[in-house]
């Protein structure tokens, strides 16, 4: 079946398909509440704006965040007149809009290849996948929305050649911006950049001394475009002694070589039940592209298999579980899978059918999750409700606190300094203690912590509590540990997905080792 391509009709179809999930995400913004990890950004941003301290607890310096999103969060808080409520609502709106921006660009790219009903269905499906999938992970308040807004522009470089120093500068700056949005995107961004530059050499053929002359002419725009990244690296080295943020270092502290299977639990937990079928469909389409033997698909295949490389890297690097926003490589790579599907659609109807199936599965799944979220009070959810109870406890128990897992929301509402014990934003002092397996109780006392907060501690045969930080990291990770043979000064349990989540507060001052 051949149809006449009508841009207005197909554009209307695309926008109509994304309006419902976008609406629900914008409605979610009014709750002004995000996932726990977002508050590592927000609390540090508040401290930075209010008193110039790049710290979660007000004392220990941290860079345990992706810098561009941190800058946006801090700027929004400053522009709002230091209003928490206004800031969080604005950030919620931004988080919803970012993947839509990227999705619109994906649609603009893919529609160039629409010529019949089959290719139209494929282009529509992958544009919807990009927006719906992006909304599902961006509304968490995490930094991945920035990557999803910008990544399609980077992929466009694989279609439209860059010519001249000015375009080289802008393309390099775009690549740098994406890396600063999410540091672990650096590998695929660098590969795409090299593909685009390499194509320039290929198109100019066998000109004498082409590469040296090109490098001399374009070295200044490349360096200038990469300058923000160079500044970030120098900043990290000067203040923190490492290139990577502390959160990345913390998740790689282990004494046993991989593989570690904790990262793969993502596909059976959280939103993995939504993402797993989509990932399977993407894999099938990529295999079809490989089987076609079309060398022109090679750059797209590399981008399409990036999620596999990404998760494999985690499996061999970190014994930590993944969270919903770790699905961002699947979303970001979906335009590459779309290009494979479009260029192989003439071989049959399997790829368009799979594309539409993946889009429908994701759209229904994402919309159902958003509808469920609107029906519940976010502050009644276990992590948020526990944070409010700890805030009430803190009103009559002043002092410095320490907590590992779930410390983000607590740090936001507590009203007292809270040292984050996982190393994510706790500073080099915590990283060093974890790396050296320091006794947890000794560490807390040496840092003059008044109260230690924990969740779901196990008991030994004597009834004492076995504490370890970071608690979420797998058995192969390094930990601070301690046995606490004492009664908590506060204890409460909340239901979380049918299981009890018990929070305990221990008074540290005066305890004997």
């Amino acid at each position: 079946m051949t149809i006449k391509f009508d841009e207005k009709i197909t554009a209307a179809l695309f926008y109509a398909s994304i309006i419902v999930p976008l609406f629900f995400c914008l409605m979610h913004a009014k709750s002004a509440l995000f996932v726990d990890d977002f508050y590592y950004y927000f609390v540090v941003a508040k401290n930075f704006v209010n008193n110039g301290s790049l710290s979660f607890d007000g004392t220990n310096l941290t860079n345990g965040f992706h810098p561009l999103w941190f800058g946006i969060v801090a700027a929004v808080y400053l522009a709002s007149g230091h209003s928490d409520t206004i800031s969080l609502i604005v950030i919620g709106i931004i988080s919803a809009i970012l993947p839509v921006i990227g999705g619109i660009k994906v649609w603009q790219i893919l529609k160039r290849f629409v010529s019949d009903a089959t290719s139209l269905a494929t282009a529509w499906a992958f544009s919807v996948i990009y927006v719906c999938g992006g909304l599902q992970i961006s509304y968490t308040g995490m930094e991945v929305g920035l990557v999803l807004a910008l990544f399609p522009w980077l992929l466009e470089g694989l279609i439209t050649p860059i010519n001249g120093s000015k375009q080289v500068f802008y393309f390099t700056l775009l690549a740098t911006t994406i890396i600063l949005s999410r540091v672990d995107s650096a590998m695929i961004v660098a590969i795409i950049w090299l593909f685009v530059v390499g194509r320039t050499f290929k198109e100019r053929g066998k000109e004498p001394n082409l590469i040296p002359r090109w490098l001399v002419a374009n070295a200044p725009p490349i360096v200038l475009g990469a300058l923000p990244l160079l500044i970030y690296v120098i900043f990290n080295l000067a203040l923190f002694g490492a290139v990577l943020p502390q959160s990345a270092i913390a998740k790689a502290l282990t004494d046993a070589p991989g593989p570690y299977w904790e990262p793969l639990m993502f596909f059976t937990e959280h939103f993995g039940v939504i993402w797993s079928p989509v990932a399977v469909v993407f894999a099938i389409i990529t295999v079809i592209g490989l089987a076609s033997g079309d060398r022109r698909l090679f750059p797209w295949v590399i981008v399409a298999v990036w999620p596999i490389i990404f998760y494999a890297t985690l499996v061999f690097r970190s014994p930590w579980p993944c969270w919903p926003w770790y699905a961002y490589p699947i979303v970001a790579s979906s335009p590459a899978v779309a290009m494979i599907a479009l260029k192989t659609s003439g071989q049959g109807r399997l790829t368009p059918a799979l594309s539409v199936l993946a889009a429908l599965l994701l759209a229904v799944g994402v919309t159902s999750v958003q509808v469920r979220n609107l029906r519940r009070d976010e502050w009644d959810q276990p992590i948020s409700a526990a944070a409010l109870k700890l805030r009430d406890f803190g009103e009559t128990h002043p002092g410095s606190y320490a907590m590992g897992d779930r410390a983000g929301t607590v740090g936001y509402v507590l009203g007292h300094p809270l040292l984050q014990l996982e190393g994510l934003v706790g500073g080099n002092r915590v990283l060093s203690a974890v790396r050296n397996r320091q006794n947890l109780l000794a560490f807390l006392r040496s840092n003059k912590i008044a109260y230690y907060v924990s969740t779901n501690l196990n008991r030994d045969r004597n009834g004492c509590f076995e504490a370890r930080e970071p608690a979420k990291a797998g058995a192969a990770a390094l930990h601070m540990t301690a046995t606490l043979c004492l009664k908590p000064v506060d204890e409460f349990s909340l239901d979380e997905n049918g299981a009890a989540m018990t929070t305990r507060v221990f008074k540290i001052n005066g305890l004997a080792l």
Side-chain angles (χ1 to χ4, degrees), residues 49 71-84 86-87 90 94:
V49 172
I72 291 175
V73 172
V76 168
Y77 179 70
L78 179 63
S80 72
H82 300 203
S83 168
D84 288 9
I86 294 176
S87 297
V90 170
I94 293 174

Side-chain angles (χ1 to χ4, degrees), residues 342-382:
L342 286 169
K343 291 181 179 295
T344 58
S345 59
Q347 301 178 20
R349 296 182 178 180
L350 179 59
T351 52
L354 289 175
S355 305
V356 172
L357 176 62
L360 292 175
L361 286 172
L362 193 58
V364 171
V366 168
T367 302
S368 64
V369 169
Q370 295 297 339
V371 171
R372 182 199 66 185
N373 289 342
L374 284 179
R375 293 177 177 175
R376 66 184 189 180
D377 182 352
E378 294 288 351
W379 285 106
D380 282 341
Q381 301 313 303

Side-chain angles (χ1 to χ4, degrees), residues 286 289-290 294 296-306 336-337 340:
T286 303
L290 284 170
D294 189 344
R296 295 172 300 175
L297 293 178
F298 182 68
W300 300 109
V301 170
I302 293 298
V303 178
V305 302
W306 167 43
V337 182
I340 296 171

Side-chain angles (χ1 to χ4, degrees), residues 396-430:
T396 56
H397 297 78
S400 57
Y401 287 66
M403 185 178 184
D405 183 39
R406 305 169 186 257
T409 312
V410 176
Y412 171 55
V413 302
L414 184 60
H416 301 293
L418 178 67
L419 180 62
Q420 210 277 344
L421 293 174
E422 294 175 309
L424 304 181
V425 288
N428 282 342
R429 186 179 302 179
V430 174

Side-chain angles (χ1 to χ4, degrees), residues 12-23:
L13 176 64
F14 166 63
Y15 290 116
S17 303
I18 66 174
I19 194 67
V20 173
L22 175 59
F23 168 77

Side-chain angles (χ1 to χ4, degrees), residues 462-475:
N462 298 317
C464 297
F465 296 100
E466 298 178 332
R468 74 172 194 175
E469 298 292 351
K472 282 293 184 181

